[in-house]
Structure formats: C-alpha cells, structure tokens
Amino acid sequence: MSIKERVDSLVRPEVRALSAYKTVDPGNCIKLDAMENPYGWPQEMLDDWLQRLRSVEVNRYPDPEAKALKQAIYSSQGVSERFSLLLGNGSDEIIQIILMAIASEDAVVMAPEPTFVMYRQIARSLGLKFVGVPLQEDFSLDFDAMCKAIEKYRPAVLFLAYPNNPTGNLFDAGEIETLIKKTAGLVVVDEAYAPFTDETFIARVGEFENLLVMRTFSKLGLAGLRLGYLVGADGWIEQLEKLRLPYNIGSLTQACAEFALDRLELFEEQTSQIRKDRQLLLNSLAAIEGLEPMSSEANFVLFRVRQEGMTASELHECLKSTGILIKNLHGSAEALTDCLRVTVGTPSENERVISEIANIFKK
Ligand SMILES: *Cc1c(COP(=O)(O)O)cnc(C)c1O
C-alpha cells in the first residue's frame, strides 16, 4: 500500500479536503499583512523582562490554571469577577475548544461572511456544517438574512467578530443584541480588535445566558505569545475547561503576559498612536484616485482598487517587489473582489505604503 492509499483510507475526508493555513514568507519586507503591533519595548523594559524570565522554572510544568495570569486579566481588562475565564493558546484554540464541545452530526456553526476564516476552517476540520450569511455590500449585517438563517439552521454557535476582520467595521450593537436573543445556541462575540475601538460587549456577558466574549493579546502587541481568553458564565466555561489540554499556556507565556499586563500603559500608548495613524492612513488612501478605503475600528484598513490598467493583485505584487507586504483578499470571496488589506504600521511605514502606491500608479 502506498502512503497515499493509507492516507485516503485513514484520514477523515473533511481533513483531506482542507488546506493548511498558509502565510507568505515576508523576507525583508515591511510586514503589514497580519495586524501585528509594529512597536517594540524600551530597553529598560526589555532588561526587566529578561530579569523576570530568569525566575521561570522551565523544568517544572506551568500552573495548569494560570491563576496569577487570570487575576491580572480580571484586574486589567475590565472583566467582572462574576464571570469565568478560559485561556487559550491564541483565540484560535478557544474557537477549537468551543466547537469541539458542541460537535455533533447535526450541529451548525454560523457567521456572517466575509469574516475571520478560522471559524469556517475549524468547523470544517471537526466535520461540522458551516453556514456563512453574506454581509450587505457596505459590510453591515444583513439583519433579515441573519434572522432567517438562524430560524432555518438553528446554529449551535454563531460567531460575530466585533470589529469584523477583514472589513474593519463594527456591526450594529442593537442588531447583535436581537440576534443573541433569537439564537438558542451560543453567540461568541470575538473582540480580537478591542484595543482599537471603544465598543465592547465585555460588560454585558451577564445580560444574556448564551453570550460569550472572546479576546486575544495578539493584536495588542503580543502576537508571539499566543494567548487569548474567553469570558462567560461559569456554567459554560466549566464544560469547556474539560476540553482544554491541561498545560496549554506555557510558563513563559504566563510570565510574559503577567509582566506585560503590569505595564499596560505602554501598550495603551502604542494602540492610541495606531488609532491616530489609522485615520491618517485612511485619509491618505482615500486621497489616491482609484482607491476606495473603508473606515475601520481595527488596526488595519481594507481598500478596494479601482484603477484602470491595474488590478488589486498586480498592485499587491508591485508593493511586494518594493519591499512592502500587505494582504491580498482578491479571490478569497466574491464580496472582496479587488480588495487589499493593510495593517496600520509606524508613521514612516504608512508613509512608505502611500508613496509607493502613488509611484506605482504614476507609471
Ligand atoms: C487575529 C484574529 C483572531 C486570532 O487571534 P489569535 O489569538 O492570534 O489566535 C481571532 N479573531 C479575529 C477576528 C482575528 O482577526
């Protein structure tokens, strides 16, 4: 038997049908494709950090409950201690844990689309049916279509990214509230971009029995750590805890996150700078003829390319060859035809993007 034959007879068909999550090798490019915080830490903080890491006993297993880290999250992130916390190796792992908990032959996972691709990807990997409900042309929720889909499919889980990725907008909070009430299953409001907006459902978890709010430290400036958390009633978190692998948050991650949460002012300075620069970047993109940027409540800007003689994919390639990597969304969904997404970088990185695009269009 060949390996191929063995694979075909052994690996689940839904797994064989998937393609692995791929990223582009950035080489020496300015990296504006993955919503990372472009800023590092001051030297003194780096020194303190290394000092702190010296005391981590990597020969020992980490605290499986990450008690100190959870305490730091409660006290720094506006999470009421009335709710419980589940920690994940990135919020991706939390999505996986939630879906493992509800996985059954007829469970449906739902989200408006286009949105964060991992909801669909992880649902598929577990053999779950995924229903994507198209957003309107302006990327707001198609409220009637959502209501109808909820009635028809009775989703076990509805994911709402708030703000949404890759579109950058916030859905209407009143509509979200109604959808939470209409859904018998769980509603996960994914606030990965919470550091870049004032809107949140985090204080409203107690209002709805089926609401969970998910967050991550990735976009704040700790993407390398892989740490996300889920806030919800203990009745839910207690069940999900059974599926979390005991030591999913390593001791280095716990120590680094506690260290960073003790110094939140630095991250708040950085994210408020990014919020200001987001507006400048948006204005500059809008000023270029042939580009249509969407307003954003996240740390990126989605824009459509309507330039004679140049497609979005061509612009993406040209930028790459000048040393700037952004995300090409053309071809990933009908609604994202001709769309590119650029992460807000440092002021000089943003200026480079603008001047290179202007240059490319001149030629
Ligand atoms: C980036 C992103 C995540 C993933 O976060 P990790 O914690 O890095 O796994 C989750 N949801 C949305 C909407 C995102 O854009």
Side-chain angles (χ1 to χ4, degrees), residues 219-234:
K219 280 49 190 237
L220 177 71
L222 301 168
L225 281 192
R226 308 304 299 133
L227 183 65
Y229 62 96
L230 184 71
V231 180
D234 193 51

Side-chain angles (χ1 to χ4, degrees), residues 34-35 88-93 95 115-116 118-119 161-166 190-193 214-219 223 226-229 300 341:
M35 283 78 87
N89 188 339
S91 36
D92 290 346
E93 188 186 42
I95 299 169
T115 191
F116 187 51
M118 294 312 287
Y119 310 142
Y162 186 76
N164 190 36
N165 173 12
D190 178 351
E191 299 191 338
Y193 298 97
M214 186 169 70
R215 292 224 178 140
T216 175
F217 291 108
S218 296
K219 280 49 190 237
R226 308 304 299 133
L227 183 65
Y229 62 96
F300 59 83
R341 185 191 67 198

Side-chain angles (χ1 to χ4, degrees), residues 271-281 344:
T271 53
S272 74
Q273 179 72 45
I274 292 166
R275 285 170 75 155
K276 280 184 219 138
D277 294 333
R278 165 179 75 198
Q279 191 56 47
L280 299 178
L281 178 63
V344 181

Side-chain angles (χ1 to χ4, degrees), residues 3-304:
I3 291 185
K4 167 91 170 67
E5 283 164 335
R6 286 172 192 268
V7 164
D8 287 351
S9 70
L10 216 54
V11 178
R12 284 185 285 127
E14 55 267 29
V15 175
R16 280 184 275 133
L18 289 173
S19 30
Y21 186 85
K22 277 195 217 76
T23 55
V24 180
D25 177 0
N28 290 325
C29 280
I30 297 175
K31 199 168 176 302
L32 298 175
D33 64 327
M35 283 78 87
E36 292 148 327
N37 177 335
Y39 299 107
W41 298 357
Q43 190 59 47
E44 205 192 324
M45 184 163 150
L46 287 172
D47 293 340
D48 291 349
W49 178 49
L50 293 177
Q51 197 57 36
R52 169 71 186 273
L53 293 185
R54 294 178 82 114
S55 66
V56 176
E57 296 183 336
V58 286
N59 54 317
R60 305 285 176 198
Y61 280 106
D63 173 4
E65 292 165 54
K67 289 181 287 293
L69 173 54
K70 279 188 186 165
Q71 211 44 57
I73 292 174
Y74 279 120
S75 56
S76 70
Q77 301 296 298
V79 181
S80 161
E81 300 213 23
R82 286 184 297 137
F83 311 131
S84 291
L85 285 176
L86 174 83
L87 302 187
N89 188 339
S91 36
D92 290 346
E93 188 186 42
I94 296 173
I95 299 169
Q96 189 178 47
I97 291 173
I98 295 168
L99 294 187
M100 284 193 299
I102 57 94
S104 74
E105 203 153 311
D106 39 36
V108 169
V109 181
M110 184 178 287
E113 278 190 320
T115 191
F116 187 51
V117 293
M118 294 312 287
Y119 310 142
R120 179 186 278 273
Q121 173 93 356
I122 295 171
R124 288 266 174 85
S125 74
L126 292 166
L128 290 163
K129 185 179 164 86
F130 181 91
V131 174
V133 181
L135 292 170
Q136 307 209 67
E137 223 167 281
D138 65 356
F139 298 129
S140 62
L141 285 173
D142 187 339
F143 183 69
D144 290 337
M146 287 298 293
C147 291
K148 281 194 188 124
I150 288 168
E151 267 166 46
K152 180 169 175 200
Y153 295 101
R154 312 217 142 261
V157 182
L158 169 63
F159 286 101
L160 296 168
Y162 186 76
N164 190 36
N165 173 12
T167 57
N169 58 315
L170 287 163
F171 301 136
D172 183 273
E175 290 184 351
I176 291 181
E177 190 174 327
T178 310
L179 295 180
I180 297 171
K181 289 181 185 150
K182 278 186 183 284
T183 306
L186 285 168
V187 177
V188 179
V189 173
D190 178 351
E191 299 191 338
Y193 298 97
F196 309 100
T197 180
D198 297 327
E199 301 302 316
T200 174
F201 275 79
I202 202 106
R204 304 188 62 188
V205 172
E207 276 178 53
F208 313 91
E209 289 184 347
N210 57 335
L211 172 63
L212 299 170
V213 174
M214 186 169 70
R215 292 224 178 140
T216 175
F217 291 108
S218 296
K219 280 49 190 237
L220 177 71
L222 301 168
L225 281 192
R226 308 304 299 133
L227 183 65
Y229 62 96
L230 184 71
V231 180
D234 193 51
W236 295 116
I237 301 295
E238 187 190 8
Q239 298 303 317
L240 301 176
E241 274 292 336
K242 300 176 194 172
L243 293 167
R244 183 181 65 79
L245 296 175
Y247 301 111
N248 65 330
I249 312 297
S251 34
L252 288 172
T253 298
Q254 293 186 31
C256 294
E258 285 165 38
F259 176 87
L261 291 178
D262 251 355
R263 290 157 184 81
L264 215 52
E265 327 76 59
L266 174 78
F267 296 93
E268 279 162 359
E269 263 169 51
Q270 294 178 344
T271 53
S272 74
Q273 179 72 45
I274 292 166
R275 285 170 75 155
K276 280 184 219 138
D277 294 333
R278 165 179 75 198
Q279 191 56 47
L280 299 178
L281 178 63
L282 194 114
N283 295 347
S284 308
L285 287 167
I288 298 177
E289 208 179 322
L291 298 186
E292 291 173 6
M294 328 278 158
S295 68
S296 168
E297 289 282 312
N299 62 341
F300 59 83
V301 176
L302 181 78
F303 61 98
R304 190 162 262 131

